[in-house]
Amino acid sequence: MKRVINIISLLVILFITVSHAEAKSRIIPAGGRFDTRFLIVIDKESYNAVEKEITEYKKALESDGLGVVMLIGEWSDPIVLREEIRAIYKKRPIMEGAVFVGKIPVVRVRNFQHATTAFKMDEENFPMFESSVTSDRFYDDLDLEFEFIKQDEKNPLHFYYNLKESSPQQISSEFYSARMMPPSDYGVDQHQLLGRYLLKAAAAHREVNYADRVIFFNGHGYNSDCLIVWQNQQFAIKEQFPHAFKDSRGNAFYNFRQDPFMKFKLYERMQKEGTDLFVFHEHGAFDTQYINGEFPAPNTLGFVPGRTLAPVSASAAYIPRSPMEAVSVSVRNMYRRYRGERAESFRKTMIEEYGFSEKFFAKENLDAKKREDSLFAANVNITLPDLIPLKFQPRVSIFDACYNASFHQEGYVAGYHIFGEGKTVVTQGNTVNVLQDKWSMELIGMLSEGIRIGFWQKEIQTLESHLVGDPTFRFTAGSGEKASADAGKLLNKQLALSSRDSKIWMEYYKSDNPNLKALALKQLSKNPPPGFSDLLFKTFKESESYIVRMQALKRMIDLNDRYLVEALVLGLNDPYELIRRNAARFAAYSGNERLIEPLVHTILFSDESQRVQYAAQNALDMFNLNLVSKDIERQVAGSTLIRGEKTIGQLVEYYTAQNKRWTNSLATIKDKTADNAKRISAIRMLRNYNNHAQVEDLLMVLRDSSDDLKVRITLAEALGWFNWSIKKIMIIDSLNNMFNDGTTPEELRREVLQSINRLSVG
C-alpha cells in the first residue's frame, strides 16, 4: 500500500511539473544586435491569432533600430509575469520599454492614491472595483512593493493589490510601457481589431512624418471655462511645436463655445488627413467625452435651425432655435433624472426662482417633448457608438480627461480611437479622474524633437496615466533637415542609456531650443550637479520661455528647498497663466506668510484668470484670518476699485465663515464623543486642504492612545499629504517618535511608516 501511495504521489508531482512546463512562457529574442531592446508581452491566444501581424510589427521596430524581444505566455498571476519581465529587464542591452498586448492580467492598485493627481475615493466605503486604480506601474516600476488582496470575482483577468507601507512611495519607472487592449464591445472580433491595428502601427514606422499639424480642443467646464487658460496654452504650444506655426493650417485651437453642438465639428477635425496630434482638454468618463455640457453655447443657436454635420445617425437630430429653448430642454432632461423629494424640490426651485410655469413640468408636456429632448441630449457629448463610424486621422491623440483610458472596461474612449479605422496609432489618457490643474502638456515638445512617445510618458508618469497603442511611435525630428533627424535618433539613445549623465544634459541645457532646455532640466533633476538649485532659480527668473520657466518651477517644487517660497512669490506674478495657477496651488500647500500678499492681490485684481483666482481664493483659507483680512484692507485702500468697502466686507465675511468652518472641523476631529464617520470625513478633508495652523492639535489627537484606532490611522495617512507645509519637520519628528514607540499599535505603526516615507522625499 505504501508503494502504491508513493507511486500516486510521484504521478501527481509529475502531472504538476508537466502542467507547469506546458504553461511556461516562450521567448522570441531580438533579431540582431541593437543598442536597446523593447519587450512585447502577449498572451498565447492572441499571439496565435495575430502571429503574422505582430511579427510584421516586430520587424518594423527592428528596422527602426530597436531590438524586440517577445514574451508569449498564459498568466493567471501578475506576480509571475512581473518576475519574468524583471528577468528580461536585467539582461543587456538595456530594455527601454514594453507593450502589453491582448489579455494580460490587469492590476487594480490600492493604498497608493498619493501617486495619482486627484483620485481620493474612500477605499473602505466604496466598492473595490470603483475605489481601485488600474495601473501598469505594477509592471514598469519594479522597485514598488505590493501585497496581494484578491482576484476579481466577475473578471478573472483583474487582480487587486495594496502598495506596501514599506515600499518606495513615489513612481520611478524603469521603462516606459503601453497597452494594446482591444475593446470587447466594439462589435468586431478583438483579434481582428488587434491584427488590423498592428499593421497600421507597423506602417507608421516607415513614414517620414514631421510634427507640424496639431489641434487642441477645450471642452465645457474644464479649467473653469477660463479663456485665459485657452489663450495662454497657444504661447506654450508654439514653443513646443514651432513647425506647426509656419502657416495657418499647422495649428488649430477649438473651444466648446464655438458651436452649440461642437461634437460634429470635432468629427470633421478628427477625420482631417495629415493631422499629427489632437489634444482633448475635457471632462470624461470611460465611455464619454464631455463636449458642450447641459447648456450649449448660444453663439449660433437660431441661425441654423435643424442643421447637423453628423456623419452618423443624427441626421434627424433636434437643434433648438434659441438659447431659451436650449435651457428649457436641459431643465426638462434634468427633471426627468430626479425622483421623489429631490424631483419636487427641483421643480419648486425652478418655478419660484426662475419663473418656469406649472404647465412646463406637467406630464403631458414632458411626454410630448421627450423625443426631441432625447435627440438634444445625444448631440451634446461624444459617446462610444458615435466613434465607430469615424476614421481617425491624428497619429497621436491625448485625452486630458478623467477615465478615457480605462482599459479595464469592456469599451473605453481611447480604445475606440486606437482600434477604429483610420491612422491613429497611440493615445494617452487616464484610468481614473485626473487633476485639471496639472501640466498635462509637460515636455510634449519631445515629440517634435523625434523622441519616442514612450519616453515622454515615462517623464510625466502618474499612477493613472497610460499610453494605449504603440509606445515606440515617434515623429521625424525637425522639418526636413537630416541633421535634425539624426539629432532625434541620438536623443532617443541618450534617454535610454544616459538619462542620469549630468554632463550630457548640461550640454542640452545650453541649447536655445526650449524643448531641449526643458528636457535637460528634468533629466538633471535625476542626478543633480553641484549648484543645481541655484541654476533652477536663475532659470526661472531669467528665461523668456514659458515652458522652460514652468519646468524650472516644477523642479523647484520637487526639491522643496530654500528657493521655493521666493519662486512661488515670483510665480504668482508670472505672465504664464499655468505658472500663476500652480504657484497659487502650492502656496496653499506651503503656508508661508510671505505668500499672503501676492495671493490677496490675485483675488482682488485678477478677475480675468478664473482658475488662478479660484486657486488663490482656496489657498488663503490656509492662512491666518487676521493677517489675510488686514492685507485685503491694505490693498483695497491703495487701489482704484470702485466698490472698495463692499469688496472688503464681502471677502472678510467669506474668510471669517471659512475660518469658522475649519474651526468646527477641528473640533469634530478632537471630539471623542462625535460619530467616527464624521471625524474621519473631517480628517480626509486635510488631504486636499493642508491646514498648517491646526497641525499641533492634530498631532495631539494622533498621539492619544485612548482615542479610536481607526481615527488615528486615518489621521496618520492624512498628515502624509503635508509635503510642502511649513510644519513638515514637526510632523516628521512626531511620526518618527510614534514609529519608534513600542506601544504604538502595529496597524497604526505601518501607516505612520508610510507617511514618514512619503514626507521624506524632496
Side-chain angles (χ1 to χ4, degrees):
M1 175 61 74
K2 184 176 180 181
R3 184 170 179 270
V4 172
I5 292 173
N6 287 338
I7 291 172
I8 293 173
S9 298
L10 286 171
L11 288 172
V12 169
I13 293 170
L14 180 62
F15 174 76
I16 292 172
T17 304
V18 171
S19 298
H20 179 72
E22 288 176 347
K24 188 176 181 181
S25 302
R26 173 189 172 195
I27 296 177
I28 300 176
R33 296 175 64 87
F34 300 90
D35 291 327
T36 63
R37 294 175 302 148
F38 178 74
L39 176 64
I40 297 174
V41 180
I42 183 169
D43 68 283
K44 185 178 179 181
E45 179 187 341
S46 295
Y47 177 77
N48 290 337
V50 298
E51 180 178 358
K52 179 181 176 182
E53 292 88 347
I54 203 158
T55 300
E56 187 69 19
Y57 174 64
K58 181 178 188 290
K59 288 179 181 177
L61 268 57
E62 293 189 334
S63 296
D64 202 26
L66 186 57
V68 178
V69 177
M70 203 177 307
L71 178 64
I72 307 160
E74 296 172 298
W75 297 280
S76 58
D77 184 347
I79 286 290
V80 171
L81 174 56
R82 191 180 197 228
E83 292 310 307
E84 290 184 22
I85 292 171
R86 189 193 302 274
I88 294 171
Y89 174 77
K90 285 182 176 180
K91 296 180 180 179
R92 290 290 179 265
I94 195 166
M95 189 182 102
E96 67 173 59
V99 64
F100 307 112
V101 183
K103 297 177 180 178
I104 305 303
V106 173
V107 173
R108 315 290 312 285
V109 177
R110 301 173 69 77
N111 194 37
F112 202 15
Q113 291 184 359
H114 47 279
T116 69
T117 58
F119 189 74
K120 294 182 176 66
M121 190 178 290
D122 190 333
E123 292 182 346
E124 291 194 11
N125 293 319
F126 284 85
M128 192 171 285
F129 183 83
E130 294 179 25
S131 59
S132 303
V133 182
T134 297
S135 184
D136 281 337
R137 303 299 84 79
F138 180 89
Y139 296 119
D140 61 36
D141 190 335
L142 298 173
D143 295 323
L144 297 176
E145 299 172 10
F146 298 92
E147 57 184 0
F148 177 68
I149 303 173
K150 70 171 187 175
Q151 187 175 15
D152 192 89
E153 297 88 352
K154 295 181 179 179
N155 193 331
L157 197 65
H158 293 186
F159 298 82
Y160 296 93
Y161 283 83
N162 269 332
L163 181 79
K164 288 184 178 180
E165 290 83 357
S166 57
S167 168
Q169 298 296 314
Q170 281 192 330
I171 291 169
S172 182
S173 297
E174 276 76 10
F175 53 88
Y176 60 77
S177 71
R179 280 273 172 168
M180 293 182 186
M181 177 79 86
S184 62
D185 67 347
Y186 195 86
V188 178
D189 177 74
Q190 285 179 280
H191 292 141
Q192 183 180 338
L193 290 175
L194 180 58
R196 182 176 73 184
Y197 167 76
L198 287 166
L199 293 179
K200 175 171 63 173
H205 279 272
R206 301 186 182 98
E207 292 180 344
V208 174
N209 182 17
Y210 306 102
D212 54 5
R213 293 289 184 269
V214 300
I215 298 176
F216 289 77
F217 169 70
N218 283 44
H220 167 80
Y222 208 73
N223 291 139
S224 305
D225 292 336
C226 180
L227 287 172
I228 298 297
V229 173
W230 181 60
Q231 175 215 41
N232 268 208
Q233 75 169 333
Q234 300 176 39
F235 304 146
I237 296 303
K238 185 176 181 180
E239 293 182 356
Q240 293 171 317
F241 294 95
H243 303 299
F245 287 78
K246 289 184 175 180
D247 60 58
S248 63
R249 298 183 182 183
N251 65 88
F253 294 84
Y254 295 103
N255 190 288
F256 76 96
R257 295 174 176 88
Q258 293 166 343
D259 194 279
F261 300 99
M262 191 68 189
K263 64 185 277 185
F264 301 122
K265 283 189 179 292
L266 294 178
Y267 290 167
E268 295 176 340
R269 303 310 185 263
M270 287 188 285
Q271 298 182 99
K272 183 179 180 181
E273 291 189 5
T275 303
D276 298 312
L277 172 69
F278 203 126
V279 177
F280 297 88
H281 299 294
E282 61 188 20
H283 290 293
F286 74 90
D287 59 354
T288 307
Q289 294 179 253
Y290 293 109
I291 305 301
N292 278 99
E294 292 280 2
F295 306 101
N299 303 38
T300 58
L301 285 173
F303 291 96
V304 282
R307 182 206 65 172
T308 177
L309 300 175
V312 289
S313 60
S315 56
Y318 166 70
I319 295 183
R321 297 171 184 269
S322 70
M324 190 59 210
E325 189 177 350
V327 170
S328 297
V329 174
S330 293
V331 170
R332 286 194 295 267
N333 281 334
M334 291 174 71
Y335 180 63
R336 290 186 182 99
R337 291 200 293 267
Y338 297 145
R339 296 289 183 272
E341 291 183 7
R342 192 173 182 188
E344 178 57 26
S345 175
F346 177 80
R347 186 188 69 84
K348 187 176 180 181
T349 298
M350 299 310 293
I351 291 172
E352 293 179 357
E353 297 185 19
Y354 295 95
F356 285 86
S357 66
E358 293 279 359
K359 183 179 178 181
F360 181 88
F361 293 98
K363 185 178 185 302
E364 296 79 9
N365 182 53
L366 293 173
D367 289 345
K369 299 286 187 180
K370 188 172 184 178
R371 181 178 180 277
E372 62 188 48
D373 290 355
S374 177
L375 288 170
F376 169 93
N379 288 335
V380 171
N381 300 311
I382 297 175
T383 59
L384 296 183
D386 296 332
L387 298 174
I388 292 176
L390 304 183
K391 293 179 172 59
F392 304 103
Q393 296 303 308
R395 280 305 195 191
V396 178
S397 289
I398 295 174
F399 303 100
D400 179 21
C402 303
Y403 293 99
N404 277 180
S406 297
F407 58 82
H408 57 283
Q409 300 282 359
E410 291 182 351
Y412 59 107
V413 168
Y416 271 59
H417 279 255
I418 280 290
F419 292 101
E421 294 188 43
K423 294 185 177 180
T424 302
V425 293
V426 61
T427 64
Q428 193 253 16
N430 305 285
T431 58
V432 293
N433 61 306
V434 65
L435 184 70
Q436 295 182 48
D437 299 310
K438 76 167 187 174
W439 187 14
S440 59
M441 295 294 100
E442 179 181 0
L443 297 176
I444 192 65
M446 291 170 68
L447 303 188
S448 183
E449 306 303 326
I451 294 173
R452 293 189 183 100
I453 193 169
F455 283 122
W456 168 68
Q457 165 69 16
K458 184 184 174 190
E459 293 301 329
I460 62 159
Q461 205 128 264
T462 60
L463 192 63
E464 73 271 24
S465 64
H466 289 79
L467 292 176
V468 177
D470 179 10
T472 69
F473 175 78
R474 63 184 179 90
F475 293 105
T476 309
S479 60
E481 309 91 345
K482 183 177 185 298
S484 294
D486 290 343
K489 292 179 181 178
L490 176 62
L491 200 48
N492 278 289
K493 183 177 178 179
Q494 288 171 331
L495 283 167
L497 302 177
S498 309
S499 65
R500 296 177 61 84
D501 190 328
S502 298
K503 290 183 180 179
I504 288 175
W505 298 108
M506 278 303 299
E507 289 302 311
Y508 277 109
Y509 173 79
K510 298 173 185 176
S511 171
D512 292 330
N513 182 333
N515 284 328
L516 298 181
K517 205 175 192 75
L519 176 60
L521 290 177
K522 181 66 192 295
Q523 300 308 306
L524 287 168
S525 69
K526 298 175 182 178
N527 183 25
F532 184 55
S533 181
D534 298 324
L535 177 68
L536 287 174
F537 189 58
K538 184 176 187 293
T539 302
F540 183 63
K541 287 195 300 181
E542 298 178 1
S543 176
E544 295 181 359
S545 164
Y546 281 52
I547 64 171
V548 171
R549 290 199 310 278
M550 184 65 208
Q551 187 61 233
L553 178 61
K554 281 209 69 176
R555 303 283 64 81
M556 285 189 285
I557 287 170
D558 283 352
L559 276 179
N560 191 17
D561 65 5
R562 67 188 189 281
Y563 284 125
L564 180 57
V565 172
E566 191 170 351
L568 294 178
V569 171
L570 292 173
L572 281 161
N573 195 40
D574 195 273
Y576 188 16
E577 185 275 346
L578 188 63
I579 289 178
R580 298 198 303 277
R581 196 191 328 159
N582 277 275
R585 284 181 57 225
F586 284 90
Y589 298 143
S590 166
N592 189 295
E593 291 177 357
R594 287 182 58 197
L595 295 160
I596 292 176
E597 189 278 334
L599 287 170
V600 169
H601 188 275
T602 298
I603 65 169
L604 288 173
F605 307 113
S606 296
D607 294 339
E608 77 288 351
S609 297
Q610 292 101 314
R611 197 69 186 176
V612 178
Q613 203 169 58
Y614 171 77
Q617 176 182 306
N618 287 338
L620 285 168
D621 282 359
M622 301 297 103
F623 291 85
N624 180 278
L625 174 62
N626 290 331
L627 294 178
V628 171
S629 299
K630 287 179 181 178
D631 212 72
I632 290 171
E633 293 171 1
R634 181 186 65 80
Q635 292 197 42
V636 169
S639 75
T640 57
L641 289 176
I642 296 173
R643 298 180 179 86
E645 290 301 318
K646 184 177 180 181
T647 299
I648 292 172
Q650 288 175 335
L651 287 174
V652 171
E653 181 182 3
Y654 169 79
Y655 284 112
T656 300
Q658 289 296 98
N659 183 261
K660 183 177 180 180
R661 174 188 170 212
W662 286 109
T663 300
N664 291 340
S665 179
L666 178 61
T668 300
I669 293 171
K670 294 170 67 175
D671 185 2
K672 295 181 185 179
T673 66
D675 180 64
N676 271 359
K678 291 182 179 179
R679 297 181 73 193
I680 288 171
S681 177
I683 290 169
R684 287 177 62 83
M685 286 288 290
L686 296 167
R687 303 162 109 218
N688 280 329
Y689 301 96
N690 298 165
N691 198 312
H692 316 281
Q694 296 180 351
V695 165
E696 287 89 342
D697 288 308
L698 295 171
L699 290 174
M700 287 178 62
V701 174
L702 182 64
R703 290 191 294 261
D704 187 352
S705 60
S706 67
D707 209 331
D708 181 83
L709 180 59
K710 189 174 180 181
V711 168
R712 296 172 72 199
I713 290 170
T714 306
L715 184 53
E717 191 274 343
L719 288 168
W721 294 82
F722 283 61
N723 299 73
W724 294 274
S725 174
I726 53 174
K727 301 293 181 66
K728 175 180 174 178
I729 300 302
M730 178 189 296
I731 294 170
I732 292 176
D733 288 344
S734 185
L735 292 175
N736 276 321
N737 290 336
M738 288 193 68
F739 181 77
N740 294 322
D741 185 344
T743 65
T744 301
E746 183 57 30
E747 190 177 356
L748 174 58
R749 195 166 179 268
R750 288 199 304 269
E751 194 65 63
V752 165
L753 173 63
Q754 186 165 23
S755 287
I756 291 170
N757 289 340
R758 290 165 58 192
L759 292 168
S760 298
V761 177

